[in-house]
Amino acid sequence: MSKIIAIANQKGGVGKSSTSINLAASLAILEKKTLLIDGDPQANTTSSFPVADDEVCTFTIDLFNYHKNTITPFETETPNLSLIPTSIDLVKLEIQGKNYFGTHHELKHTLADLKNDYNYIIIDCGPSLNFITTSFLAVADSILIPVQCEYYALNGLNRLFSAFKTIKQNYNRNLDIEGVLITMYDKRLAFSNVIIQEIKSHFRTMVFKTVIERNVKISEAQSHRKAVIDFDASSRGAINYLSLATEIIENNKTDEMNNDSLGKSLHKILEDTTKEKDLTTIFEKLPINKDKNSANYFSENYEKLIGLSKKDIITIFTDSYNDVYSDVWVFRIRERTSFFKKNYLYIHFYNQRVDRYELTVFKKRE
Ligand SMILES: Nc1ncnc2c1ncn2[C@@H]1O[C@H](COP(=O)(O)OP(=O)(O)OP(=O)(O)O)[C@@H](O)[C@H]1O
Ligand SMILES: [Mg+2]
């Protein structure tokens, strides 16, 4: 198995680089051959490794030129971990955009070759949805979104999701969401748990179980040009990132075994609106309240779902991509015109029967 994961959030300082470095090092420690790519001209990831100014190796900008040379990454001191560092030259690519070398197709070819040599390719993206970031999203298998545990954590995420959707529809149909990662959690702060609950109520199954705590060893390690696991293996930072790497390896095993499970593959829900379930059609199959003008039309029909079996639900909602073993199923639905047009119906089962349902609307937060 080989996977390209882009670490992205256009918000600055949320832990993208720290996550890229430490997740990549942890995957490597867990014996996954890993390539870390610094996709940000700020070069924070690069400066966390002892790369010399005149280092002879492949730099990120070279990945956009498929025909240039064979790729020779910088080999780090951590076994199984290689790095493609960046230089300020990457800014040129941003300025010249699509006219530089070629388009993201060159990058796609390069990464397709590199995929043969690694289990995981982790890309640290810069804090904007610019040409470089979108090029990486156009070639990645999934996106991991670090979200800092702070007030207004969710501000701006709608922009990221709409870019995700555009890229998915136009360039990369297979782009998936690896997960939303809560970073810099501080249990001493009373509001931290409230924020975690808010993030989880928005993103539900997309949120990683692992939470990255605030830990000074993470920044100390960076200033020593090391991943935290190589700097202080018993620190909370090292433990948290090792747990994240384990969770990702496990999730990908499950995805391989059961491609139809919801898991973190929310792309199926975010897919084209044509796949949306029209509840009025669905409710026609239910034996009650067919009067669409009735004020209770939706609420009464939702109630009718209570007590039905999983088989009944599959019959009603026809093609189902939910995991039959899971006790929570989710359907994207269209009810009335909603602001953001992303309504989800969660059906909770107990003893194989519908116990309750919940409706969620993705609210616009900007
Ligand atoms: N879990 C953590 N505990 C303590 N400090 C952290 C943690 N994660 C990141 N930091 C520190 O917070 C700062 C911002 O983190 P980082 O550089 O990883 O964010 P970023 O999203 O990559 O930023 P940018 O958008 O500028 O690329 C850094 O100084 C980093 O050392
Ligand atoms: Mg960064």
Side-chain angles (χ1 to χ4, degrees):
M1 209 222 76
S2 179
K3 192 161 199 192
I4 305 174
I5 305 176
I7 316 287
N9 185 343
Q10 82 278 17
K11 206 166 178 184
V14 295
K16 294 181 288 295
S17 301
S18 307
T19 298
S20 306
I21 299 159
N22 294 303
L23 169 62
S26 304
L27 288 166
I29 299 279
L30 294 171
E31 298 190 337
K32 300 291 173 192
K33 241 183 146 268
T34 305
L35 177 68
L36 174 60
I37 298 176
D38 191 348
D40 180 5
Q42 289 186 96
N44 290 340
T45 288
T46 303
S47 47
S48 299
F49 293 88
V51 181
D53 286 345
D54 55 353
E55 195 73 48
V56 181
C57 68
T58 300
F59 282 81
T60 306
I61 195 162
D62 304 323
L63 303 179
F64 287 79
N65 185 359
Y66 180 60
H67 300 287
K68 198 183 173 205
N69 280 312
T70 46
I71 306 286
T72 43
F74 172 82
E75 295 307 331
T76 74
E77 285 166 16
T78 309
N80 299 317
L81 180 61
S82 311
L83 167 75
I84 304 278
T86 194
S87 61
I88 196 71
D89 278 356
L90 195 60
V91 174
K92 281 189 210 156
L93 181 63
E94 189 54 52
I95 296 164
Q96 297 175 27
K98 287 179 188 153
N99 299 327
Y100 201 79
F101 303 138
T103 61
H104 68 267
H105 294 297
E106 300 249 351
L107 182 65
K108 202 174 185 93
H109 286 308
T110 317
L111 290 191
D113 284 357
L114 282 171
K115 249 181 136 176
N116 297 326
D117 300 332
Y118 296 94
N119 297 116
Y120 286 94
I121 298 180
I122 305 293
I123 305 167
D124 178 23
C125 297
S128 81
L129 287 165
N130 56 17
F131 173 73
I132 301 168
T133 303
T134 48
S135 299
F136 280 121
L137 295 182
V139 301
D141 294 311
S142 68
I143 167 172
L144 185 157
I145 307 161
V147 172
Q148 188 178 340
C149 191
E150 55 164 6
Y151 280 120
Y152 311 117
L154 303 176
N155 273 13
L157 280 183
N158 280 333
R159 259 191 72 211
L160 181 64
F161 276 100
S162 92
F164 168 83
K165 201 171 166 187
T166 309
I167 290 164
K168 192 171 166 60
Q169 277 168 353
N170 297 307
Y171 305 107
N172 185 0
R173 285 201 67 78
N174 298 324
L175 185 62
D176 203 350
I177 293 179
E178 193 67 39
V180 170
L181 176 70
I182 299 170
T183 62
M184 299 189 226
Y185 166 75
D186 190 339
K187 62 171 180 258
R188 291 167 304 179
L189 303 175
F191 66 80
S192 290
N193 288 324
V194 176
I195 293 165
I196 288 202
Q197 283 320 313
E198 192 182 343
I199 295 170
K200 285 190 172 164
S201 74
H202 254 75
F203 295 110
R204 292 165 186 268
T205 52
M206 275 196 282
V207 183
F208 285 108
K209 291 191 190 85
T210 304
V211 169
I212 308 297
E213 294 162 69
R214 190 172 276 284
N215 180 228
V216 70
K217 298 284 180 193
I218 290 177
S219 26
E220 270 178 47
Q222 270 162 269
S223 66
H224 285 82
R225 300 191 145 199
K226 282 187 168 165
V228 67
I229 200 155
D230 295 322
F231 179 67
D232 182 348
S234 62
S235 63
R236 292 304 304 162
I239 292 165
N240 289 166
Y241 276 109
L242 208 50
S243 147
L244 176 67
T246 312
E247 192 176 342
I248 288 177
I249 294 168
E250 282 303 312
N251 285 345
N252 283 292
K253 268 191 208 151
T254 322
D255 279 1
E256 259 175 43
M257 279 173 354
N258 184 2
N259 281 329
D260 284 342
S261 70
L262 176 65
K264 302 278 187 293
S265 309
L266 222 76
H267 68 274
K268 287 187 175 161
I269 295 175
L270 294 168
E271 248 172 17
D272 12 339
T273 39
T274 48
K275 286 211 172 158
E276 210 166 44
K277 310 280 177 194
D278 184 347
L279 276 194
T280 47
T281 324
I282 286 168
F283 285 163
E284 268 160 23
K285 298 180 194 166
L286 288 170
I288 61 151
N289 201 346
K290 293 202 164 61
D291 176 9
K292 288 177 197 151
N293 298 320
S294 147
N296 300 329
Y297 175 70
F298 286 103
S299 56
E300 280 182 18
N301 281 318
Y302 287 135
E303 286 302 324
K304 194 67 191 167
L305 299 174
I306 307 277
L308 295 183
S309 68
K310 287 184 175 173
K311 205 169 152 213
D312 295 333
I313 297 296
I314 291 169
T315 315
I316 292 168
F317 288 83
T318 53
D319 60 321
S320 158
Y321 46 79
N322 284 287
D323 179 353
V324 285
Y325 300 107
S326 164
D327 279 337
V328 185
W329 287 10
V330 59
F331 295 93
R332 183 170 175 196
I333 53 164
R334 181 170 61 241
E335 194 183 88
R336 297 187 177 99
T337 316
S338 71
F339 189 38
F340 211 60
K341 274 201 159 183
K342 284 195 183 95
N343 289 334
Y344 300 100
L345 171 66
Y346 286 81
I347 299 180
H348 295 256
F349 293 90
Y350 181 71
N351 281 344
Q352 305 299 314
R353 297 267 162 191
V354 178
D355 181 52
R356 62 194 172 87
Y357 65 87
E358 265 176 274
L359 284 164
T360 306
V361 180
F362 258 60
K363 292 186 199 109
K364 195 171 163 66
R365 293 225 152 218
E366 281 172 306

